[in-house]
Amino acid sequence: MGVKKGIYFGTAFSLLVFTMILSISAGAVKIPLQEILNVFLGGGSETSRTIILNLRFPRAIESAIVGMGLSVVGTFFQGLLRNPMADPYVLGVSSGAAFGATIAIILGLGIFGLSFMAFITSLMTVFFVYTISKTGTRVSMTTMLLAGIAISAFMSAIISLMMLLNHDEFSQIVFWTMGGFSLINWNHVAYSTPVILIGSFVMYVFSRDVNAILTGEEVAEHLGVNTELVKKIILITGSLVTATAVSVGGIIGFVGLIVPHISRLIVGPDNRILVPFSAISGAIFLTFADLLARIILKPMEIPIGIITAAFGGPFFLYLLIKSKQKSEGM
Amino acid sequence: MRRFKGLLALLVVFALMFSLAACSTNNATKPQDTSQTATETVKTQFPLKVTDFLGREVTIEKEPQRIVSLAPSTTELIYALGAGNKVVGVTDFDNYPPEVKNVPKVGGFKGPNVEAITAQKPDIIFASTLSGKEQMESLEKMGIPVVMLEAKNIDQIYQSIKIIGQITGTEKKGEEIIKEMQDKIKEINDKVKNLPKVSVFYLVSLDGNWTSGKGTFIDELINLAGGKNVAEDVNGWAQYSVEELVKKNPDVIITSPHAGDVKDIKNMAGYKDTNAVKNDKVFVISNDDIISRASNRIVLGLEEIAKFLHPEAFK
């Protein structure tokens, strides 16, 4: 790694630490710095302790972990599917999760039943899409994209129908699909962190192989890469990470789409460097977005999806315009 | 995926419209002249001119025999006034009184269905701000009078009752209903007004921690029931900060029956530390229609909330 990249990583890492500290210090309730320090030294009032240790702290960690996981998966999916529009939800994880969540809400399964149900149905959806796009031992990426879109459309139709028939649960379903971390506690952190961290690391191990696949599958095979195996591992691990992220924070759009693009602009396309950089950037982005969601209209919170889309939408348009200019220039 | 997001966005817009329309206080929609309604006790003379909640003067040529109601609250009032047998169209959301189940549905989730409405040949339509401006205008062009009702507080429910009473020739019954409501509210308020105020958090939905802030019926009911809404610092329906909830430390938490499992709520980080959970003062309202609809049943909601807040006063 060159000096320049060292500087990028140093800056990104410091920014992450800074964002985490900011996220724990700031919120709807104003707590003086002295009191925050007291809390970490084992003192402080009961209210401050609850707010900082049981609400803000797990929330800051969870948003960082989810942001990291979604960005890593987005980076790999964009590379593997060779499609800049790919995001972690491209294989139907989000509609599958929303479907499970809707069923759980209608059946009144409670908040933990909901997470579990969302997790299971999202993996089932991915498995279905995967099976459809498999011909023999090969997986067609184009079929996969199309199948993902088709099943998403189908499931959202079913979800709308279920909402029509269950007006009372309507707002719950809608707002779950917007995503957010308002009720995150240490239990969520305890189960999601290992899955997302290990999953991201497993994918990272295959960075070099994915680099080769990016230059073309045949080339990669000549270089001795088992492309089908790599694709399968990345798709399955990526969907597992996404499903875990969705089960704790709902469907948070745009993070897994824009963070990889920003990171690619900064450190280039080599996955061995791009992936860890995306991971840190994603953590910063989502922690910061969550902080904004908490404080912009305090004591009201806004769904985090609004914040990420407010950043993501214009940025995406900018990318589109830029790529258009590039092709016109050629 | 994108289509899915688009659909969700649409649903969110609907939901937001709902919460805004159902909850925000907007003085601009107050009826401007209702003095004539209050004084008139003889049988209504037609053609009749009424001023609706948008301040528009609507002329009704003869006493309506076929009524379309596009809001569940209005439907409840029409039935309470005894004109239910004239209702020929309601929305998918209508569920009270029970006999409304047999009335054709002419609108709902996606707004009113103009075709279905005209097929019922109504001679009056009671609409709300949710009913869709364009659809209502096209119905008016066909010569069907549209009266807009949008009560945001209990006083405005009385106005709605007066307007519907006048149009359906049931003003006497309307006065009785208003009197009953006022008596009930006074009876409850007398019991609790000298007791210490209890701080209350109303949980609409655990997912997103949704509450009802200032300007909602729930906020008004909490105040009348001898309480203080801790979320009165937000307007309408809002996602409320859990840390702010911890700081405000409510004495009582009331939840919607659709808010989520009470066990979940009691075990939630932040919630666990409130006085309400510590003292086992988490209550589920029996039916959220009676605390959110602009109908005469709102006094039932008031009574239920008052009993949650001050059980000692109702022994």
Side-chain angles (χ1 to χ4, degrees), chain A residues 235-272:
Chain A
L235 289 172
I236 292 165
T237 319
S239 297
L240 189 72
V241 167
T242 311
T244 309
V246 169
S247 77
V248 291
I251 299 160
I252 302 168
F254 284 112
V255 184
L257 179 70
I258 69 162
V259 171
H261 283 298
I262 302 174
S263 307
R264 217 172 270 124
L265 287 175
I266 298 173
V267 297
D270 181 351
N271 281 303
R272 288 170 300 175

Side-chain angles (χ1 to χ4, degrees), chain B residues 197-201 230 248-253 275-277 279 281-282:
Chain B
K197 294 258 176 273
V198 173
S199 63
V200 185
F201 182 73
V230 300
K248 298 264 176 74
N249 196 5
D251 302 316
V252 170
I253 293 172
N275 284 340
V277 173
N279 302 325
K281 291 272 190 187
V282 181

